[in-house]
Amino acid sequence: MEKTKVAIVGMGTVGGGVAKLLLDHGDRTARHAGRTLWLERAVVRDLSKPRDGELPAGVLSDDVEDVLNDPEITVVAQLIGGLEPARTIMLRLLEAGKDIVTANKALLAEHGPELFDRARQLGRSIAFEASVAGGIPIITNISQCLSANQILSLEGILNGTSNFILSQMDQHALPYDDAVRLAQKLGYAEADPAMDVDGTDAAQKLAILAHLAFGARVHWRDIPRTGVDALHVIDLQFARELGYRIKLLAVARLSEAGLELHVSPTLVRIGTPLAEVQDAFNAIRVVGDAVGPVFYHGQGAGQMPTASAVVADIIDTAVGRTRLTFQTLELFSASEPPRVEQRSFDQLSGRYYFRLHVKDHPGVLAEITGVLGRNLVSIASVIQHAPQSDGDGTSVPLVVMTHEAPEGAARAAAEAMEKLSSVSGSVLRLRVKD
């Protein structure tokens, strides 16, 4: 059987999973590829570092030149994280005549146009299914399977770490800090979980999906984002009392006014598919004008789900499918004008959940409703429970649910409420999806 020689650059968790699939299931990959996928080289930074699983003699190397200078290696899984040296290595691999498979969504979100244009100039391809939602084949579905559709909207849980944290807070009343520590202990969160919990990771993935689905050219930093790090267990409890669960949603929605984009903790109605996504799972709801709503659910991270997507891309690249798609779709082309413009976030309309702590005395509710009224934000319902015996005796939580209002008006109302002497601390404002 014809042989395609493959290299892995970066043998972290995902790289180890890719090597395992290539070495332990060669018969399976050969059956799908119509050829043997031969792991020729695996490049690591430290040869002495212990690793799970044995590699054949001569495969492991600490010098990327062994890949660059081997013309028989035609497909490379570039699995180094971060921006540098990942960007420089990818450019060098392309210039050495290699087709690339990557899982590095941060690199594509930051340098995608440069890398994709360079690959086209050199007649090479870049496959990146594993960069968004791990084992869920969302890239292929949007760029190929749903290509007969105009995508109307994408709504997704794109960060498994945040979803795990929220699930623990919701199901077990675990305080936020304890939920983060548990996520770290189980390997769902990094030692520094900032990019997961502040919405950065989800925004980077949303930028990639928005480009594929809508032809948008929006830098991930320009996507309004709020993380889960300001939430407390009490918010999950109030949400449940109101019939919702809180999820970190990444949203892209097309309208005549442009493309709505944002990442934010959102109250999602219990019983709807997105509300039922638990633990470290991801899910994406896509609506196309022809197909209607389609729902994807699965493991969005982890060694083997992500390795599954990488190896699928290696197979597609080896048989030539990736190159056909890569050249015809003009993905991330810097020379192509955007097909849609991003909408002003302040003008987006939605319902909101406000949670604030107020002094427990008469007239406070009138002050709050006055602020909301002056900002043209209409109240749908209010929750204020009796003071708890274990409380501080000076303030009680107050929850206000609104009717639809512009984002800018809702934000202005929250800022005005924080200035009231009857309000202590910050005001939490979350979007509501019915």
Side-chain angles (χ1 to χ4, degrees):
M1 184 177 284
E2 189 176 347
K3 181 186 294 185
T4 295
K5 291 188 176 182
V6 177
I8 302 171
V9 178
M11 281 290 290
T13 301
V14 175
V18 172
K20 179 179 177 62
L21 287 175
L22 292 175
L23 294 171
D24 295 353
H25 301 285
D27 55 341
R28 180 195 305 168
T29 57
R31 188 166 62 249
H32 288 289
R35 63 189 65 212
T36 300
L37 299 179
W38 185 268
L39 181 57
E40 182 73 10
R41 195 73 65 193
V43 179
V44 299
R45 185 168 50 187
D46 181 2
L47 289 172
S48 65
K49 182 179 178 180
R51 287 177 175 81
D52 294 333
E54 295 260 345
L55 292 176
V59 169
L60 206 59
S61 168
D62 62 355
D63 190 353
V64 73
E65 300 294 334
D66 291 341
V67 175
L68 291 166
N69 296 327
D70 187 341
E72 294 188 354
I73 296 174
T74 57
V75 182
V76 179
Q78 204 279 61
L79 301 176
I80 299 173
L83 301 182
E84 287 292 355
R87 170 186 163 276
T88 299
I89 289 173
M90 187 179 289
L91 287 170
R92 292 190 66 200
L93 289 168
L94 291 169
E95 289 160 2
K98 319 298 183 186
D99 291 316
I100 306 296
V101 173
T102 186
N104 190 335
K105 89 286 178 177
L107 181 63
L108 298 183
E110 193 72 36
H111 297 294
E114 174 195 15
L115 295 170
F116 280 64
D117 280 350
R118 186 60 178 148
R120 288 191 193 89
Q121 292 167 6
L122 296 166
R124 307 265 56 91
S125 65
I126 300 173
F128 54 102
E129 182 65 69
S131 66
V132 178
I136 301 174
I138 190 61
I139 301 295
T140 299
N141 273 280
I142 289 177
S143 60
Q144 297 179 41
C145 303
L146 298 177
S147 58
N149 288 257
Q150 168 62 63
I151 303 300
L152 302 177
S153 68
L154 296 164
E155 296 175 313
I157 297 168
L158 301 181
N159 184 267
T161 300
S162 291
N163 203 57
F164 177 83
I165 291 168
L166 293 175
S167 294
Q168 294 301 308
M169 294 173 70
D170 182 41
Q171 296 170 9
H172 306 293
L174 207 61
Y176 171 79
D177 289 339
D178 291 346
V180 170
R181 281 191 287 271
L182 180 59
Q184 291 169 325
K185 179 181 178 180
L186 296 176
Y188 295 132
E190 302 288 343
D192 180 4
M195 291 183 66
D196 290 316
V197 300
D198 72 1
T200 294
D201 176 82
Q204 290 174 337
K205 295 170 181 175
L206 183 61
I208 294 171
L209 293 179
H211 179 86
L212 291 173
F214 305 104
R217 185 158 306 119
V218 178
H219 194 282
W220 68 267
R221 294 183 190 275
D222 295 327
I223 296 177
R225 66 191 185 280
T226 306
V228 300
D229 41 357
L231 296 175
H232 294 271
V233 169
I234 191 174
D235 296 307
L236 284 295
Q237 294 170 342
F238 273 124
R240 197 181 319 116
E241 182 177 343
L242 290 161
Y244 297 87
R245 289 196 177 96
I246 298 177
K247 298 295 179 182
L248 183 68
L249 286 194
V251 175
R253 186 176 293 111
L254 189 63
S255 71
E256 292 183 358
L259 184 63
E260 170 185 344
L261 290 171
H262 51 88
V263 173
S264 56
T266 303
L267 276 70
V268 183
R269 180 72 67 180
I270 290 173
T272 58
L274 284 171
E276 304 308 316
V277 179
Q278 300 295 338
D279 297 322
F281 278 71
N282 282 193
I284 305 158
R285 182 179 187 269
V286 182
V287 178
D289 64 346
V291 73
V294 185
F295 191 77
Y296 305 91
H297 177 246
Q299 296 189 62
Q303 182 185 48
M304 298 315 295
T306 307
S308 166
V310 171
V311 173
D313 272 347
I314 291 174
I315 292 171
D316 282 352
T317 300
V319 301
R321 286 193 291 265
T322 298
R323 184 168 299 184
L324 288 172
T325 305
F326 187 78
Q327 295 296 334
T328 57
L329 288 183
E330 296 187 342
L331 301 174
F332 291 97
S333 174
S335 61
E336 288 292 311
R339 296 199 305 269
V340 64
E341 296 295 335
Q342 185 178 3
R343 287 188 64 185
S344 167
F345 190 50
D346 279 356
Q347 295 176 5
L348 297 181
S349 183
R351 295 184 61 220
Y352 297 91
Y353 161 103
F354 290 96
R355 190 261 298 154
L356 51 160
H357 280 81
V358 300
K359 292 180 179 179
D360 186 26
H361 61 64
V364 170
L365 188 56
E367 291 182 340
I368 301 301
T369 57
V371 168
L372 291 168
R374 286 191 292 276
N375 286 278
L376 303 180
V377 178
S378 175
I379 296 174
S381 63
V382 176
I383 299 177
Q384 181 178 347
H385 296 308
Q388 298 295 312
S389 58
D390 58 352
D392 60 14
T394 62
S395 67
V396 293
L398 176 71
V399 168
V400 177
M401 294 284 281
T402 77
H403 293 297
E404 287 212 0
E407 172 73 23
R411 185 179 64 250
E415 292 171 352
M417 285 188 286
E418 288 179 351
K419 296 176 182 178
L420 295 174
S421 60
S422 57
V423 175
S424 60
S426 59
V427 174
L428 181 70
R429 178 174 57 88
L430 306 178
R431 297 181 71 87
V432 179
K433 171 181 166 56
D434 287 310

